[in-house]
Amino acid sequence: MILPLPDLPSFDYIRPKSYQQVSELLHQQSEDVRPFMGGTDLFVQMRDQIIAPKILVDVKLLPGMISIEYDHEVGLHLGAAVNLNAIAKHPEVIEYYPLLVEAANSVASYQLRNRATIGGNLCNASPAADMAPSLLILEAKLIAVGLNGERVIPVNEFFRAPGENALERGELLKRIEIKPPPEGWFGKYLKLGRNAEGDLAIAGVAVLGFPDQTAESGYRFRIALSSVAPTPIQALKAEEILNQGPISEESIEAAAITSRDACQPIDDVRASGNYRKAMVEVLIRRGLEEVWSAIQVGG
Amino acid sequence: MTEHHEVPSPIGEKVKRVDALDKVTGEAVFADDLKFGSDLLHGRVVRSVHPHALIKGIDSSKALTLPGVKAVVTGEDTTNRIGLYLKDRYTFCRDRVRYVGDPVAGVIATSVEIAETGCDLIDIEYQFLEPVLDPLQGIQERAPLIHPDLGEYPVADFIFPKPGTNISNHFKVRKGDVEAAWSNCEVIIEKSFHVPHIQHAPIEPHVAVAQVDHTGRITLWGSSQSPFAQRNLIAESLGISQRDVRVISPYVGGGFGSKAGVSMEALAVVMAQAVPGHPVKVRLTREEEFFCAFVRQGLVAKIKVGATKDGKLLAMKTEYYWDAGAYTEYGVNITRAAGYSSTGPYEIPNVWCDSYCVYTNHPVGGPMRGFGMPEIHWGIEQVMDMVAEELQMDKVDFRLLNCLRAGSITATGSEMHPTGLTECITQSAQAIQWSTEETASAPHKRRGKGIAIMWKAPAMPPNAGSSAWIRFNEDATISIGIGGQELGQGSHTVATQMAAATLGVPMEWIHISGPIDTEYSPYEWQTVASRLTWSMGNAIVEAAKDARGQILDLVAEHWGEDSQNLDIKEGLVISYRSEQTLPLQNLVVYGLPKADGSGWRGGPIIGHGNFMPTYVTSLDYETGQGERAVVHFTTGCQAVDLEVDTETGQITLLRVASAFDVGKAINPDQVRAQMEGGVVQGASTTLFEHLKLEDGVPVNPSFVDYRIASSVDAPAEIIPIIVEVPQDDGPWGARGIGEHSMVPTAPAIANALADALNLRILDLPLTAEKVFFALQEKGGAT
Amino acid sequence: MAKHIISLTVNGVREYVEVPSNMTLLTLLRERLGLTGTKDGCSAGECGACTVLMNFEPVNACLTLAVEAEDAVILTVEGLPQDGRLDPVQQAIIDHGATQCGFCTPGVILSARALLDRNPSPSEWEIKDALRGNLCRCTGYTRIIRAIQDAAVGGADD
Ligand SMILES: Cc1cc2nc3c(=O)[nH]c(=O)nc-3n(C[C@H](O)[C@H](O)[C@H](O)COP(=O)(O)OP(=O)(O)OC[C@H]3O[C@@H](n4cnc5c(N)ncnc54)[C@H](O)[C@@H]3O)c2cc1C
Ligand code: FES
Ligand code: FES
């Protein structure tokens, strides 16, 4: 067993001047250089002796990194270094994407969320990342910037394995773009921890629904999960059941069971895989029921 | 005699904590806040990564060449064993490691970082041994021996190790004829319970700084519940005089037992000996805190109880197997306390108990709030519920029928002193409307109510003593010297109240001298066992009476009156006869001039007092019987009203009533604060806590992985209830409450859960997952 | 390892300090500036004992680098009293007996101060939620919550 260090190990801290400079640094010495924003994942991993970078680049200082912009046509653009409290208190996020507010508020503690960023949460690519399920069902686009300029990575292609994301050598996550919310939508993030609030998820479930004439049931649902597979995942089969409809207690139950069966959770200190599976079913059912009662036209 | 108005005494009043201002301003100094200047060196410890192995070689040569490393120490540098009741360990391991975390070497360097790097450069060669990972395995005849030299260890005369086995203490109770009694029982319940290891998790981690001067005298600064015991044990282990060890301990940031006795402090001392003149600081990381100081021992409890048709308890047989870990600073005495308290607070004519302290290759079991009582009551109080269920008796009635009252005979054949247990039971049951059935807040939820009672004595040597002094300043403000530590329990405030009340001065005049310094503070055995209000309180009252007597004699002589007619009120000496008054100012230091100018009388007033119980008898080794096993028992009851989510297994505590007989609440508000804190700590250990050990390796030693209750987990309502049946030898009748308030919490919750779901869980903790699967197994909620 | 000269304002005082890259804000405050009211309970963002206000918002000083505090305004427990008067949160903690060992108390007070600054009359749930990152092993939280309700302007009910 390797015990955490009493203090942070040595490294050099760099305030970058440009995206270009960071990309070059990352490209040249990718083993030794790490970008960071809140440091709430990175510092902990350094103290735990999991990684030992020699240079840390404070990329939240780059232009645009902490901006939040909303436009009815374009949607929401979040700089990668926007911290979770900034998301949760932004008036237009509260109005149009309450799901994101719920997800952000579910993380750790208020003081930690002043440092923890949305981009860091994604880049860290933990299976338990609380922001991931909501971004998956909102079909967020992640804007990476590298030596060859910007590139779009759909969020559902971003998570590769625990701790591994789709960024390439020299690339940095710059921005997260989310479409304007569909008409009449309602979303819910339900997280189960060992205690009432603030734990890492035993299971996290994001559910989104909205009226959609192109779906057979007249409604489209999206479902994503955290902490129950090597990466955050979508429950596409379960979504399909609901999109085909009709939406009823039975189809909701079927979707919940299908979601459960889509998970491959592990046993860890927080919970067993079996409990996680059982809880996915419960949380999905609860989420779907709540979403369904909120979006039913005339219902 | 003339009219005089009664000055209100601070005893029993709502009085604010005397340490609160220090604590809200950040002025309160804790051990880690002390400043030592540039001579300070830092120590880090190389710890065993194996649960059980022989040390075949240690190579520190690489570490010693690292710039900044000043010295490396190992077991070679420690000669005598150390230990409170049983001297069973070396400060740094010699020959053998016995748990993951056992200190093997210490590196002293100019910075923490260099010391840490130095640790990485030390090579240790091990020869693995088969570990003992369970007390039931440990007592097997063929089990690997963890302490082959057990027979050679010095041991206290009330502890009975069994050389050639892993049993470091065996305590027996044999009262009446248990085997014959079973046939007269209508109902017999027999169950096994399991209590896992948990950790105290004070928010302040352990820290110690030691310095050795060139004559070998040692000063140790630390976060300590036991400065005097540390002084004694460290001096003994080094073969030096207690005079030459000085322990200084400022405010303690939470102890709960983890900072009692000696744990990591001795490491700092041995390291400091290698670099005379330099203070050496050792600070545990939070992760080390979880398994390198003390943990609460695990327990396997087998309990069998029988009752007659009309609900009278007739016989009880218990076997307690303590998972004591690699060494046993306090475990042997926890084992003893569990034995003499083995029945819980019930009167039972036939009792049999075997309580075994078993060495395992687990972290060192230390004392934790309740000293074995939360662990044994977890089983006892569930079994009692089951007996009542079987008899179809109300659980409150069942307890009222069988619980101890004044004059009842306890498990050790001793007579119970007056106690307010029955009031505690009725009042806490009433507080949650025991007989009212509640409706759950949703169809998938269930409500349930449960109750549990408890007793606990201060578990300590029979002659654990306290002392105090009282010293006046020119303006009649007062410094009080005590050796009892303020851990948050409020002892400084209670000490101030008692001194003020006895002396007849305003509380604001009094200051508790700090930090506790064995060089200047009077002796106090340890700040454990919820004993300060009672024991140290008695010493303070004595000291105050002594000072008061000196003052009254002086003034009586001065006025030519009888001191019987004099009193001190609000800092004024008054005569009820002549109605003269004299302020304490000046006279308490400078004395008083004789009227005829022929000189002076008096001198600086200093009062001293002590207290030591003298009446505790020994117990027969074979039967555990004796006239007076302990000084006294605090009793109490908690009643829980909860809701459980049948789909997730999550428990929500709605109301917890907590009633204890404290004899006399010197400071009722602080008593309530202890009860509130105890309920939440108890609930946290019940619902979440388990230090998971996989093959001896702790796998969740951090607050992320080992959850403790946070603000969002506090029960919606805690109802503290004070019952006061005075203690004959307590100051104003007071006895302790600090630990007791978490003793019955776990079984009360389990009993409420059983009420809600009609199922029993016998292993702690009651995680949502465990509740969920128990419910699945049972086929769902009814 | 490179050192950085930074300037920051701590409790209203402008400080210029040279810090190594890996020094945390917590170490800077405690060991360089002697402000030991801020505590270290875990060094890992878990316990909240190190909570200070950085630009008026609470952060875990153990997970913040000192260099990141360049130009920042830092408030620690030592800086709370104004003109010799305790902050209402400090006073309420005393009045309610809401401190025991006191090790969590500075962090609790700063979390509460920041809560009341952004939400002058929080509900009981909002108080609990804002404090969930400040572990307290002693008090059971109930008194802390009552104290903050008391310190809140208007002391709103749920
Ligand atoms: C006590 C505690 C509790 C926590 N609880 C939760 C919880 O409940 N839920 C949860 O989801 N998380 C939790 N976390 C994890 C963490 O706080 C979040 O994942 C947070 O959002 C990470 O953001 P950050 O800015 O701090 O990331 P950082 O630590 O700064 O970075 C995270 C990773 O991303 C890389 N990186 C940073 N910026 C970029 C960039 N622009 N481009 C590419 N790579 C980049 C870093 O090199 C690092 O590998 C917890 C952490 C702690 C310490
Ligand atoms: S010390 Fe920073 S959160 Fe614990
Ligand atoms: S008062 Fe001790 S941790 Fe809060």
Side-chain angles (χ1 to χ4, degrees):
Chain A
M1 101 182 281
I2 295 174
L3 272 176
L5 297 169
D7 294 319
L8 282 179
S10 298
F11 56 84
D12 279 333
Y13 168 91
I14 292 183
R15 281 195 190 96
K17 301 200 172 49
S18 66
Y19 284 97
Q20 182 69 19
Q21 182 207 1
V22 180
S23 290
E24 278 168 15
L25 252 175
L26 285 174
H27 196 75
Q28 287 154 13
Q29 317 177 38
S30 71
E31 294 304 304
D32 291 337
V33 182
R34 285 301 276 262
F36 86 97
M37 300 190 296
T40 59
D41 277 316
L42 194 70
F43 299 163
V44 170
Q45 288 163 15
M46 288 166 66
R47 201 180 152 256
D48 288 350
Q49 310 200 54
I50 296 166
I51 48 169
K54 297 204 173 76
I55 296 171
L56 297 193
V57 189
D58 194 348
V59 297
K60 65 178 166 293
L61 304 174
L62 291 168
M65 273 297 210
I66 57 165
S67 82
I68 305 184
E69 281 169 31
Y70 178 78
D71 179 296
H72 280 297
E73 302 294 306
V74 191
L76 181 66
H77 286 191
L78 295 168
V82 170
N83 74 48
L84 301 183
N85 283 340
I87 293 177
K89 71 174 179 222
H90 193 273
E92 280 155 328
V93 179
I94 294 172
E95 179 157 3
Y96 300 113
Y97 305 91
L99 175 62
L100 288 180
V101 176
E102 276 178 5
N105 282 338
S106 80
V107 172
S109 63
Y110 186 85
Q111 50 270 61
L112 197 92
R113 297 195 298 274
N114 269 332
R115 297 275 302 163
T117 65
I118 183 162
N121 194 254
L122 299 177
C123 290
N124 190 54
S126 158
D130 277 314
M131 298 311 290
S134 307
L135 293 179
L136 279 167
I137 61 180
L138 291 169
E139 301 178 310
K141 292 197 176 89
L142 308 187
I143 313 301
V145 54
L147 284 177
N148 307 322
E150 291 190 0
R151 151 175 104 95
V152 177
I153 309 172
V155 67
N156 62 359
E157 294 170 16
F158 190 70
F159 306 109
R160 293 280 167 84
E164 214 178 287
N165 63 41
L167 293 174
E168 281 166 12
R169 193 178 173 128
E171 274 187 337
L172 207 60
L173 178 64
K174 184 177 182 185
R175 194 167 66 247
I176 295 137
E177 298 185 356
I178 306 170
K179 288 184 296 196
E183 201 60 42
W185 78 287
F186 188 77
K188 199 78 204 148
Y189 184 62
L190 296 176
K191 171 175 168 180
L192 188 82
R194 286 164 299 176
N195 70 324
E197 297 277 346
D199 193 10
L200 288 174
I202 286 175
V205 162
V207 179
L208 174 72
F210 55 92
D212 181 354
Q213 290 319 313
T214 69
E216 269 175 68
S217 66
Y219 294 91
R220 199 163 289 281
F221 282 84
R222 298 211 191 97
I223 301 171
L225 310 164
S226 63
S227 279
V228 290
T231 66
I233 55 167
Q234 287 169 283
L236 297 172
K237 278 195 193 144
E239 291 177 1
E240 211 31 58
I241 292 174
L242 297 163
N243 297 343
Q244 280 169 5
I247 298 164
S248 62
E249 226 171 88
E250 289 73 35
S251 62
I252 286 179
E253 189 57 40
I257 290 171
T258 308
S259 308
R260 179 195 72 195
D261 294 342
C263 314
Q264 313 127 35
I266 55 161
D267 296 340
D268 67 13
V269 293
R270 275 173 280 286
S272 70
N274 284 340
Y275 183 61
R276 292 193 147 96
K277 281 197 153 202
M279 289 308 102
V280 164
E281 186 185 328
V282 172
L283 297 179
I284 298 267
R285 181 169 41 70
R286 287 183 182 177
L288 284 172
E289 279 167 1
E290 203 176 328
V291 168
W292 174 233
S293 73
I295 63 171
Q296 279 176 76
V297 179
Chain B
M1 223 195 263
T2 51
E3 285 278 298
H4 59 271
H5 72 270
E6 263 318 303
V7 178
S9 153
I11 302 299
E13 293 301 310
K14 182 174 161 69
V15 163
K16 284 180 195 165
R17 296 183 64 103
V18 298
D19 54 349
L21 184 62
D22 279 359
K23 288 176 176 178
V24 300
T25 53
E27 284 302 314
V29 172
F30 296 86
D32 197 27
D33 303 337
L34 297 167
K35 300 184 175 78
F36 291 90
S38 56
D39 272 354
L40 182 69
L41 297 175
H42 300 269
R44 288 290 296 157
V45 176
V46 184
R47 298 178 179 280
S48 172
V49 290
H50 305 294
H52 198 190
L54 295 178
I55 301 173
K56 287 291 160 188
I58 302 177
D59 180 359
S60 353
S61 54
K62 272 181 278 173
L64 284 165
T65 60
L66 186 70
V69 168
K70 297 294 176 186
V72 173
V73 297
T74 65
E76 303 269 295
D77 300 289
T78 64
T79 41
N80 298 321
R81 292 195 176 90
I82 191 166
L84 179 64
Y85 295 113
L86 177 64
K87 298 199 186 305
D88 64 358
R89 69 184 199 273
Y90 290 107
T91 298
F92 284 94
C93 298
R94 295 164 69 104
D95 319 335
R96 188 191 285 250
V97 293
R98 295 180 171 87
Y99 73 99
V100 173
D102 217 353
V104 179
V107 177
I108 303 110
T110 50
S111 75
V112 178
E113 201 174 337
I114 295 171
E116 183 71 25
T117 311
C119 288
D120 290 342
L121 296 176
I122 292 181
D123 287 322
I124 302 162
E125 198 190 321
Y126 290 108
Q127 179 188 327
F128 304 137
L129 298 173
E130 191 195 333
V132 175
L133 300 172
D134 177 330
L136 296 182
Q137 174 206 354
I139 52 162
Q140 302 298 317
E141 221 162 277
R142 311 272 292 278
L145 273 193
I146 298 175
H147 288 269
D149 301 333
L150 180 55
E152 294 165 25
Y153 299 167
V155 60
D157 63 6
F158 52 91
I159 302 297
F160 304 99
K162 294 208 170 322
T165 75
N166 287 316
I167 297 171
S168 54
N169 191 18
H170 179 196
F171 185 87
K172 296 185 256 190
V173 177
R174 308 284 185 263
K175 178 187 160 194
D177 188 343
V178 174
E179 294 310 323
W182 300 126
S183 57
N184 298 326
C185 294
E186 169 82 8
V187 170
I188 296 174
I189 303 279
E190 187 170 6
K191 293 282 170 200
S192 279
F193 297 85
H194 182 248
V195 180
H197 291 88
I198 62 171
Q199 215 269 336
H200 314 65
I203 307 303
E204 177 202 37
H206 278 69
V207 57
V209 182
Q211 186 171 17
V212 179
D213 73 14
H214 292 276
T215 67
R217 281 190 47 120
I218 293 165
T219 307
L220 171 67
W221 295 264
S223 178
S224 173
Q225 296 180 236
S226 314
F228 287 90
Q230 285 182 348
R231 180 183 66 160
N232 186 34
L233 297 177
I234 288 170
E236 280 180 356
S237 80
L238 299 176
I240 63 176
S241 164
Q242 284 84 355
R243 178 199 61 203
D244 296 333
V245 179
R246 175 178 178 190
V247 180
I248 301 174
S249 183
Y251 281 126
V252 172
F256 315 108
S258 72
K259 291 166 185 162
V262 175
S263 58
M264 52 75 75
E265 299 78 16
L267 299 171
V269 172
V270 173
M271 287 196 240
Q273 284 183 314
V275 286
H278 287 278
V280 177
K281 181 167 184 171
V282 182
R283 188 180 186 285
L284 298 190
T285 62
R286 173 54 58 187
E287 292 77 11
E288 288 174 302
E289 183 71 26
F290 269 104
F291 65 99
C292 300
F294 290 135
V295 298
R296 188 172 90 177
Q297 305 184 115
L299 172 67
V300 176
K302 299 183 178 181
I303 304 179
K304 183 176 177 184
V305 172
T308 62
K309 202 160 56 218
D310 45 3
K312 270 295 216 186
L313 286 168
L314 209 54
M316 180 164 187
K317 183 172 183 180
T318 49
E319 290 164 59
Y320 296 137
Y321 300 93
W322 295 94
D323 186 338
Y327 309 99
T328 171
E329 183 83 343
Y330 288 84
V332 286
N333 199 32
I334 294 172
T335 301
R336 183 175 191 271
Y340 63 64
S341 315
S342 64
T343 53
Y346 294 94
E347 182 164 40
I348 307 175
N350 303 290
V351 180
W352 175 295
C353 172
D354 286 301
S355 185
Y356 299 96
C357 195
V358 186
Y359 283 123
T360 58
N361 294 108
H362 279 154
V364 182
M368 182 172 165
R369 196 173 193 175
F371 208 75
M373 296 305 107
E375 297 95 303
I376 66 168
H377 283 77
W378 165 247
I380 296 168
E381 280 302 278
Q382 288 207 68
V383 167
M384 293 303 172
D385 244 38
M386 288 184 250
V387 172
E389 263 159 36
E390 197 75 20
L391 288 162
Q392 296 185 315
M393 263 181 90
D394 178 84
K395 288 154 190 169
V396 168
D397 294 342
F398 176 77
R399 288 182 170 83
L400 286 172
L401 179 67
N402 287 292
C403 75
L404 291 167
R405 293 170 164 76
S408 300
I409 302 302
T410 69
T412 57
S414 321
E415 194 177 308
M416 185 66 188
H417 53 77
T419 182
L421 181 53
T422 52
E423 287 117 277
C424 292
I425 297 172
T426 38
Q427 288 198 40
S428 46
Q430 223 163 37
I432 65 156
Q433 280 98 38
W434 176 253
S435 324
T436 312
E437 201 148 322
E438 316 282 347
T439 35
S441 66
H444 62 279
K445 296 188 176 176
R446 298 285 179 280
R447 280 287 274 275
K449 290 180 183 175
I451 197 158
I453 62 177
M454 63 73 67
W455 70 340
K456 182 191 178 297
M460 53 188 198
N463 55 343
S466 298
S467 55
W469 52 245
I470 285 184
R471 208 158 49 66
F472 281 87
N473 304 308
E474 290 84 341
D475 59 357
T477 57
I478 294 158
S479 301
I480 295 192
I482 49 176
Q485 186 56 281
E486 176 57 78
L487 318 168
Q489 84 284 45
S491 56
H492 276 18
T493 306
V494 166
T496 306
Q497 285 175 267
M498 290 184 182
T502 310
L503 285 167
V505 302
M507 273 185 66
E508 301 70 50
W509 289 15
I510 296 177
H511 177 246
I512 304 286
S513 293
I516 307 303
D517 181 339
T518 57
E519 188 86 2
Y520 300 109
S521 307
Y523 179 84
E524 181 65 54
W525 177 60
Q526 300 192 38
T527 302
V528 297
S530 308
R531 56 184 280 285
L532 287 195
T533 298
W534 163 75
S535 179
M536 185 180 84
N538 278 329
I540 289 168
V541 170
E542 285 306 308
K545 280 187 185 158
D546 182 24
R548 180 187 150 86
Q550 294 173 37
I551 293 167
L552 294 187
D553 287 348
L554 170 65
V555 177
E557 199 183 344
H558 184 65
W559 284 341
E561 293 194 37
D562 184 346
S563 65
Q564 296 292 324
N565 294 326
L566 269 45
D567 200 354
I568 306 175
K569 295 274 180 196
E570 286 188 45
L572 281 185
V573 183
I574 57 170
S575 163
Y576 293 133
R577 198 178 59 85
S578 63
E579 292 186 33
Q580 301 191 73
T581 65
L582 195 60
L584 289 178
Q585 277 90 330
N586 300 329
L587 81 86
V588 284
V589 172
Y590 300 126
L592 290 166
K594 291 183 181 163
D596 58 6
S598 66
W600 292 72
R601 50 169 73 90
I605 303 289
I606 176 159
H608 58 82
N610 64 21
F611 175 77
M612 188 182 87
T614 51
Y615 44 70
V616 173
T617 62
S618 58
L619 301 176
D620 183 81
Y621 170 68
E622 290 302 333
T623 65
Q625 301 299 292
E627 199 174 312
R628 187 155 178 187
V630 297
V631 289
H632 58 251
F633 286 96
T634 298
T635 60
C637 177
Q638 282 174 351
V640 167
D641 177 9
L642 58 71
E643 189 164 76
V644 54
D645 182 328
T646 59
E647 293 179 346
T648 62
Q650 287 166 304
I651 292 170
T652 307
L653 300 179
L654 303 174
R655 287 186 289 179
V656 183
S658 180
F660 288 87
D661 175 12
V662 299
K664 167 73 189 176
I666 304 296
N667 186 326
D669 203 47
Q670 285 192 173
V671 170
R672 287 185 204 104
Q674 284 304 304
M675 292 200 217
E676 291 166 16
V679 163
V680 175
Q681 194 172 22
S684 179
T685 62
T686 310
L687 301 179
F688 313 129
E689 297 183 35
H690 178 181
L691 182 66
K692 295 188 175 172
L693 299 166
E694 286 177 6
D695 297 323
V697 180
V699 294
N700 57 340
S702 74
F703 280 134
V704 164
D705 289 336
Y706 180 112
R707 261 338 243 181
I708 67 169
S710 73
S711 50
V712 289
D713 301 306
E717 196 185 352
I718 301 176
I719 310 152
I721 299 162
I722 295 173
V723 171
E724 296 178 316
V725 174
Q727 176 63 32
D728 60 0
D729 68 346
W732 288 271
R735 61 175 93 79
I737 173 65
E739 299 167 273
H740 310 79
S741 55
M742 75 174 262
V743 171
T745 317
I749 293 173
N751 289 344
L753 185 72
D755 182 46
L757 298 180
N758 198 18
L759 60 80
R760 284 274 163 198
I761 295 177
L762 308 182
D763 301 342
L764 275 169
L766 301 176
T767 60
E769 170 164 0
K770 202 183 280 177
V771 173
F772 173 80
F773 283 118
L775 199 53
Q776 295 287 94
E777 198 169 303
K778 193 189 135 230
T782 42
Chain C
M1 187 169 49
K3 299 217 171 182
H4 308 262
I5 295 177
I6 60 166
S7 77
L8 70 169
T9 305
V10 181
N11 299 333
V13 179
R14 193 95 184 138
E15 304 276 2
Y16 295 86
V17 280
E18 192 187 47
V19 296
S21 296
N22 67 343
M23 179 183 273
T24 62
L25 176 59
L26 179 58
T27 305
L28 169 65
L29 293 170
R30 284 181 56 82
E31 286 169 30
R32 238 1 131 60
L33 303 178
L35 296 168
T36 52
T38 307
K39 303 300 178 195
D40 184 353
C42 71
S43 319
E46 301 161 357
C47 75
C50 65
T51 304
V52 299
L53 302 194
M54 177 155 140
N55 300 327
F56 314 101
E57 279 286 332
V59 295
N60 302 93
C62 69
L63 282 189
T64 303
L65 301 180
V67 282
E68 291 183 86
E70 164 82 318
D71 290 334
V73 175
I74 306 289
L75 183 71
T76 73
V77 70
E78 290 92 343
L80 266 178
Q82 299 272 318
D83 309 319
R85 283 181 61 110
L86 295 181
D87 186 276
V89 176
Q90 291 176 303
Q91 189 60 51
I93 297 274
I94 296 179
D95 294 344
H96 287 262
T99 178
Q100 288 187 21
C101 82
F103 202 78
C104 70
T105 307
V108 164
I109 289 172
L110 288 162
S111 279
R113 180 69 266 150
L115 167 68
L116 297 184
D117 286 345
R118 64 181 184 269
N119 179 0
S121 35
S123 67
E124 180 173 334
W125 175 251
E126 285 168 332
I127 295 172
K128 285 186 171 182
D129 200 41
L131 282 175
R132 74 186 200 213
N134 293 88
L135 296 179
C136 174
R137 193 58 153 169
C138 303
T139 64
Y141 304 103
T142 42
R143 280 158 192 265
I144 295 176
I145 295 160
R146 267 181 268 149
I148 297 169
Q149 284 172 325
D150 198 23
V153 180
D157 292 336
D158 257 62

